[in-house]
Each structure stands twice: as structure tokens, then as C-alpha cells.
């Protein structure tokens, strides 16, 4: 049974992805909300929970930092999330953050948060896990965004981080030819983050107008299930008009 690590697994696309893969993969679920991670793990056949802040780069793991479905921890860092993994068939990056605001109103802190979570954490965890991914000729899947192609007013820091994330996947694909690297670009998805965005926009939230997290999870699963001769490099999803 192949092993897949999913970040941002406590909710939204990450949780939906974990559930979509639960019957066919051993999972490592990474996130910051221990209780929510365990709730997802209970829906999975085989899932190990790791509570970690992936923006805490450089933190070294300890024996108390990792946990099975019945235990939890309060640990930090990409090194923690990768602890004890010698072979990894799939690494799925679902964690992310979106803060809206016009450039004139967006301070350096907002831009740093966008890059720390959406880019640096992804790069660092991938870097640490490269030996395990190479051993399995594994697959890296990065959940990007439509904003990774098009920048719009109020979305400056988020779009810039997603453009950078797309550059990372393009480079990784060329530098690591033994791996498959897929960049997934969904449109708006019905998640807690989307609710906050719509509230910022001053609009009424209608989940029917957005993609379901499970729809993105299905696309991720299909990418992982691609035949060995196929390399799904980019997947673009948009909500169908209703």
C-alpha cells in the first residue's frame, strides 16, 4: 500500500483529499488543528496524525512530535512532518492562506504571511522529503489556484504567492525528472477560507456557486492514479455555471 502525506488535512480540500484516498493509501495527515485532524483520521482506513506548523522552518523533530490516530502532539515545523518517512509515494500540498486587500492597504506582514504559508512552507517540506520521494519515484501534487494564472485587484499578495508557487512546480518538474509533479488550479471552492473571502467582499455566500472540495479531491486522486507513462503536469478546474 502506498503512503501519501497530505498537508492542510484538517478541513476543506485537504480533508476531502484524505477521505478520497483513504481506501487505497496509507495516509499521513498534517495540520495545526489536532482535534480536526483526528476527526478526519477516523474516516480513514489507515491514517497517522501529525500536528505541525509548517511555517516553523528549522524546528527539529523529537520522539514526542508524531502521533498515530489515537494520540496527538503539539509540534512544529516541516522537519517534524517528515520525521520517520523514508519512502513516500505522494506528497499533496493543500495548506494555504488568502488575505485580500489593495496594495495600498496591504502591509509587509500580509505579504510575508502569504509567501511563508503558500510558498516557503511548500518548498521546505518538499525539499526535506525529496530523498523519500526519490526512493519511491513519487508524485508531488500542489494545490495552487486560478490566481496562479491571473492577478486581479485586491488579490495582490495571494496571486503573487500563487504565481511563485507555479514557478516552483515548473522548476521541480525539471530538476527532479524521476518524480511526477502536478499543479492543480481550482477556481473558487466551498471552504471556510472562501466564506471569509466572500465576507470581505461584502457579498452573500452561496455554496452552490463554488466547486465542492470533493471535486478537487477527485481530480487529485485521478492525477495520482495516472498510468506510469503519463505525467499530468497541470489540472485546471472551474465551477460550472448554475
Amino acid at each position: 500500500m502506498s503512503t501519501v502525506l497530505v498537508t492542510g488535512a484538517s478541513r476543506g480540500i485537504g480533508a476531502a483529499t484524505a477521505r478520497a484516498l483513504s481506501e487505497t493509501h496509507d495516509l499521513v495527515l498534517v495540520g495545526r488543528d489536532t482535534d480536526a485532524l483526528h476527526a478526519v483520521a477516523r474516516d480513514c482506513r489507515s491514517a497517522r496524525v501529525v500536528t505541525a506548523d509548517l511555517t516553523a522552518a528549522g524546528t527539529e523533530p523529537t520522539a514526542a512530535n508524531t502521533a498515530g490516530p489515537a494520540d496527538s502532539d503539539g509540534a512544529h515545523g516541516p522537519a517534524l512532518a517528515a520525521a520517520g518517512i523514508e519512502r513516500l509515494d505522494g506528497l499533496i500540498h493543500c495548506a494555504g492562506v488568502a488575505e485580500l486587500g489593495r496594495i495600498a492597504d496591504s502591509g509587509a506582514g500580509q505579504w510575508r504571511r502569504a509567501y511563508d504559508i503558500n510558498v516557503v512552507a511548500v518548498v521546505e517540506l518538499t525539499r526535506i522529503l525529496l530523498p523519500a520521494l526519490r526512493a519511491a519515484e513519487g508524485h508531488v501534487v500542489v494545490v495552487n489556484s486560478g490566481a496562479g494564472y491571473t492577478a486581479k485587484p485586491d488579490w495582490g499578495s495571494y496571486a503573487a504567492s500563487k504565481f511563485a508557487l507555479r514557478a516552483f512546480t515548473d522548476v521541480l518538474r525539471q530538476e527532479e525528472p524521476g518524480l511526477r509533479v502536478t499543479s492543480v488550479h481550482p477556481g473558487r471552492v466551498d471552504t471556510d477560507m472562501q466564506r471569509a473571502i466572500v465576507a470581505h467582499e461584502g457579498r452573500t455566500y452561496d455554496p452552490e456557486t463554488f466547486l465542492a472540495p470533493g471535486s478537487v479531491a477527485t481530480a487529485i486522486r485521478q492525477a495520482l492514479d495516472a498510468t506510469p507513462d503519463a505525467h499530468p503536469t497541470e489540472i485546471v478546474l472551474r465551477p460550472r455555471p448554475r
Side-chain angles (χ1 to χ4, degrees):
M1 189 75 66
S2 63
T3 299
V4 173
L5 186 151
V6 182
T7 73
S10 59
R11 56 181 55 85
I13 295 172
T17 298
R19 294 183 174 106
L21 300 177
S22 62
E23 293 301 317
T24 53
H25 299 79
D26 295 326
L27 301 176
V28 181
L29 308 180
V30 180
R32 290 185 290 184
D33 187 331
T34 302
D35 291 340
L37 286 172
H38 284 305
V40 176
R42 285 192 290 271
D43 293 336
C44 300
R45 179 192 54 79
S46 174
R48 167 189 166 201
V49 165
V50 179
T51 307
D53 178 356
L54 295 178
T55 64
T59 302
E60 293 301 322
T62 66
N65 286 154
T66 57
D71 303 302
S72 65
D73 55 79
H76 305 275
L80 163 67
I85 300 176
E86 297 182 356
R87 182 183 176 90
L88 187 63
D89 299 277
L91 171 58
I92 305 175
H93 293 283
C94 297
V97 65
E99 294 182 70
L100 272 59
R102 300 185 71 83
I103 290 174
D105 303 319
S106 303
Q110 177 176 320
W111 286 76
R112 290 191 182 101
R113 283 189 297 274
Y115 272 81
D116 282 347
I117 297 171
N118 296 345
V119 184
V120 178
V122 173
V123 174
E124 181 66 2
L125 182 58
T126 304
R127 184 187 68 81
I128 293 172
L129 284 169
L130 274 177
L133 288 161
R134 289 167 179 156
E137 296 185 338
H139 196 151
V140 179
V141 178
V142 177
V143 177
N144 196 300
S145 169
Y149 288 118
T150 305
K152 297 179 180 179
D154 284 343
W155 292 79
S157 61
Y158 180 74
S161 71
K162 292 300 186 177
F163 270 68
L165 189 60
R166 179 158 59 91
F168 163 71
T169 57
D170 288 346
V171 172
L172 181 65
R173 196 177 295 118
Q174 296 174 72
E175 290 184 351
E176 299 290 336
L179 306 182
R180 291 195 287 188
V181 180
T182 302
S183 186
V184 181
H185 296 262
R188 291 193 171 200
V189 184
D190 177 21
T191 62
D192 292 341
M193 185 171 75
Q194 193 65 240
R195 289 181 180 276
I197 290 171
V198 171
H200 173 89
E201 294 171 331
R203 299 189 295 114
T204 300
Y205 192 84
D206 180 3
E208 295 298 318
T209 62
F210 304 123
L211 284 165
S215 298
V216 184
T218 297
I220 292 171
R221 185 185 63 201
Q222 290 171 341
L224 291 178
D225 289 343
T227 55
D229 63 318
H231 190 162
T233 56
E234 292 183 309
I235 298 173
V236 178
L237 300 170
R238 295 290 180 268
R240 292 182 63 185
R242 301 187 185 186

